[in-house]
Amino acid sequence: MKKIAIYSMKGGVGKTAAAVNLSYLAAAGGDNTLLCDLDPQGASTYYFRIRASKNFNTNKFIKGGKHIDKNIKGTDYPHLDLLPSKLSYRNLDLALDALKNSRKRLKQIFKDLEYEYDYLFMDCPPGISLISENVFNAADIIIVPLIPTTLSELTYEKLIKFFEKNDIDSGKIYTFFSMVESRKTLHQETMNKVSQEGGNILESRIPYRSDVEKMGIYREPVPVSSPHSDSTQAYVELWNEIKSLC
């Protein structure tokens, strides 16, 4: 099972849209796929029209094992399951901090699912916290959406420095440009600058389009609601590029 985190320090960069569409495309290819919604906002959970069980909470999540199995939900799509978020995940950092080996608990939880799925996607909350450090340790690949603006570039640079300072392998960080408006000079200049500075910059770019925003209305992945759109084609290209890394 390949573990792929969709992560950014910054919110509002297209992280959840990427997690939903990429996990859908992985499953559509016939691979057994689990999307774990770690963000207490629960946007991925909402998009797939799923609610977590009333009794599921942070404490049961960090216990793992049968508590996870019982709360994994099937989606409307073959081969795609979801482990829904709960608002109580806002306390996940505190719960993890009370455990021994608190930075690697997520890795242990997912180990129990190793032979049930081909791909595990994590829709991660923004910021750098204990749950983020768990994600960094658990993931095989960390996909970082980057809007080509100054602030997004700054947070990307801070993430790389955090990995280096804490002796975490920054080689598993891959970035793609998200919500790209090709007519904007700032976007073009930022993409050129970041690409020239090196690092793992994926070639696929996700354009800024209304069909992605409308995921909240249709509550479907873009390849389902707009199968012939250029947004769908962009996510297909992005998934093919990521899959080649696994």
Side-chain angles (χ1 to χ4, degrees), residues 41-52:
Q41 296 180 66
S44 287
T45 302
Y46 176 81
Y47 282 159
F48 282 112
R49 304 169 185 268
I50 286 174
R51 288 184 179 179

Side-chain angles (χ1 to χ4, degrees), residues 4-18:
I4 302 170
I6 313 297
Y7 169 82
S8 173
M9 286 174 63
K10 193 174 184 306
V13 298
K15 175 179 57 59
T16 295

Side-chain angles (χ1 to χ4, degrees), residues 14 24 54 73 129 143 145 180 198 202 207:
Y24 168 81
K54 287 184 178 179
K73 309 287 187 180
S129 60
I143 303 297
V180 173
L202 299 173

Side-chain angles (χ1 to χ4, degrees), residues 140-156:
D140 299 306
I141 299 174
I142 300 168
I143 303 297
V144 180
L146 194 157
I147 300 175
T149 61
T150 305
L151 285 180
S152 289
E153 181 188 356
L154 181 63
T155 55
Y156 172 63

Side-chain angles (χ1 to χ4, degrees), residues 65-222:
K66 63 180 182 182
H67 300 286
I68 296 289
D69 289 338
K70 287 169 59 177
N71 286 284
I72 290 175
K73 309 287 187 180
T75 70
D76 293 337
Y77 310 103
H79 305 292
L80 179 57
D81 290 342
L82 177 94
L83 181 58
S85 171
K86 291 281 283 191
L87 186 59
S88 69
Y89 281 11
R90 68 190 188 282
N91 300 319
L92 199 49
D93 279 337
L94 294 174
L96 287 168
D97 194 39
L99 300 175
K100 291 181 179 177
N101 209 9
S102 61
R103 285 172 172 73
K104 295 184 177 179
R105 180 59 186 162
L106 204 56
K107 188 174 185 178
Q108 182 62 42
I109 291 171
F110 292 148
K111 190 176 181 180
D112 295 336
L113 303 169
E114 189 70 38
Y115 300 105
E116 296 183 38
Y117 294 98
D118 300 300
Y119 293 104
L120 166 69
F121 287 83
M122 290 171 264
D123 182 10
C124 308
I128 284 193
S129 60
L130 189 52
I131 184 63
S132 305
E133 291 185 68
N134 269 267
V135 167
F136 301 156
N137 283 312
D140 299 306
I141 299 174
I142 300 168
I143 303 297
V144 180
L146 194 157
I147 300 175
T149 61
T150 305
L151 285 180
S152 289
E153 181 188 356
L154 181 63
T155 55
Y156 172 63
E157 292 171 354
K158 285 184 176 179
L159 178 64
I160 298 295
K161 288 178 181 177
F162 180 87
F163 270 60
E164 292 172 350
K165 183 178 180 180
N166 290 277
D167 200 25
I168 305 173
D169 179 16
S170 62
K172 58 184 176 181
I173 296 176
Y174 290 82
T175 302
F176 71 90
F177 294 113
S178 174
M179 303 168 70
V180 173
E181 295 183 76
S182 56
R183 292 182 179 179
K184 285 188 174 179
T185 301
L186 174 62
H187 281 206
Q188 289 292 352
E189 290 177 348
T190 304
M191 289 190 291
N192 290 338
K193 180 174 180 288
V194 173
S195 298
Q196 289 172 2
E197 289 174 349
N200 297 323
I201 311 298
L202 299 173
E203 293 184 0
S204 305
R205 297 173 178 181
I206 303 299
Y208 182 79
R209 293 289 187 273
S210 61
D211 49 8
V212 178
E213 290 184 314
K214 289 178 180 176
M215 287 173 63
I217 298 173
Y218 300 132
R219 300 177 73 178
E220 293 176 332
V222 173

